[in-house]
Amino acid sequence: MNLAIDLGNTFAKTGLFEQGKLVESKGSFTYSELIDYVKDLKPKNIIISTVSYSEEQLSQDFSDDSTKVFFLKNTTPVPITKLYDTPETLGADRIAASIGARVIFPESNAMIIDLGTCITYDLVDTEDNFHGGIISPGVRMRFTAMNTFTKRLPLLEPEEAPHILGKSTKHAMQSGVMNGITAEINGFIEEYHKLLTKINVILCGGDATFFANRIKYPNFVIPELVLIGLNRILEYNVEQNK
């Protein structure tokens, strides 16, 4: 068994794989819960993607005689070519999601839209080239910015997108963020289709489900996309180390 771990500041998401197939995914582990889960599971290989913990600590907590731990960092070999001017600054989640797209749709170009704290738009082709993309503020970041940088606008939580003509300050703000992101997504998809043909649009991240039915282009919502990519990177590194 292989275990892929996407470890954030507060919670961890995990994907358990057998022969390349995702058989179990879990989310919202605390760090101590994750340690207990791994000890009970005893996977053969683990890959961890994190910017919150040191390799020394992670190796101490998760590695033993029966489990080998790999870490996703900028120098980790990956089965994709990074056509990126600053690969050392490229987020691990972006490259893992792009590789996940190649696993699921090996015959198609893919545009990956990750709707998390930030919204990232990335393009990967059928020749395993990562072309780069766009980083944009996410839903809650936009609401927080309007509250932080003005004196009178309230801090709002995202709601169902209202009519594009807001009839109150609250509704105007909700429209600006929710309808604005929808228009942004549609616009970027249109532009990416000018760069490559036959693109599958894949959404992931916490806000993916909300926007999936609001954009005008066909799309796939794959919450486990990053975990699937992490497992492919793990398989690639295990093969390299034989």
Side-chain angles (χ1 to χ4, degrees), residues 84-105:
Y84 206 68
D85 291 342
T86 57
E88 70 279 0
T89 69
L90 181 58
D93 54 343
R94 294 174 64 190
I95 204 67
S98 296
I99 292 171
R102 294 294 301 124
V103 172
I104 298 170
F105 298 109

Side-chain angles (χ1 to χ4, degrees), residues 133-205:
I134 295 164
I135 303 175
S136 179
V139 172
R140 286 160 186 81
M141 190 180 293
R142 298 184 194 211
F143 282 121
T144 301
M146 285 194 285
N147 171 252
T148 300
F149 296 105
T150 67
K151 292 183 178 180
R152 299 184 63 183
L153 293 181
L155 178 61
L156 302 179
E157 287 294 317
E159 296 178 3
E160 191 74 21
H163 190 274
I164 197 167
L165 294 175
K167 299 297 185 180
S168 68
T169 297
K170 176 182 176 181
H171 285 170
M173 292 172 67
Q174 290 284 355
S175 182
V177 173
M178 308 310 285
N179 291 322
I181 289 175
T182 301
E184 175 183 295
I185 293 172
N186 284 323
F188 287 152
I189 293 174
E190 182 178 348
E191 292 301 313
Y192 275 30
H193 273 93
K194 296 176 183 178
L195 301 176
L196 291 176
T197 58
K198 298 180 181 179
I199 298 176
N200 280 331
V201 177
I202 307 169
L203 276 62
C204 62

Side-chain angles (χ1 to χ4, degrees), residues 11 27-40 62:
F11 296 111
S28 301
F29 278 120
T30 64
Y31 191 74
S32 60
E33 289 171 341
L34 179 64
I35 292 174
D36 292 338
Y37 174 68
V38 173
K39 285 181 179 178
D40 291 339
F62 296 106

Side-chain angles (χ1 to χ4, degrees), residues 61-109:
D61 290 336
F62 296 106
S63 180
D64 59 32
D65 293 339
S66 61
T67 300
K68 186 173 179 59
V69 179
F70 295 82
F71 300 98
L72 179 56
K73 49 191 177 182
N74 292 321
T75 57
T76 302
V78 294
I80 203 166
T81 301
K82 303 174 188 176
L83 303 180
Y84 206 68
D85 291 342
T86 57
E88 70 279 0
T89 69
L90 181 58
D93 54 343
R94 294 174 64 190
I95 204 67
S98 296
I99 292 171
R102 294 294 301 124
V103 172
I104 298 170
F105 298 109
E107 304 301 322
S108 301
N109 302 312

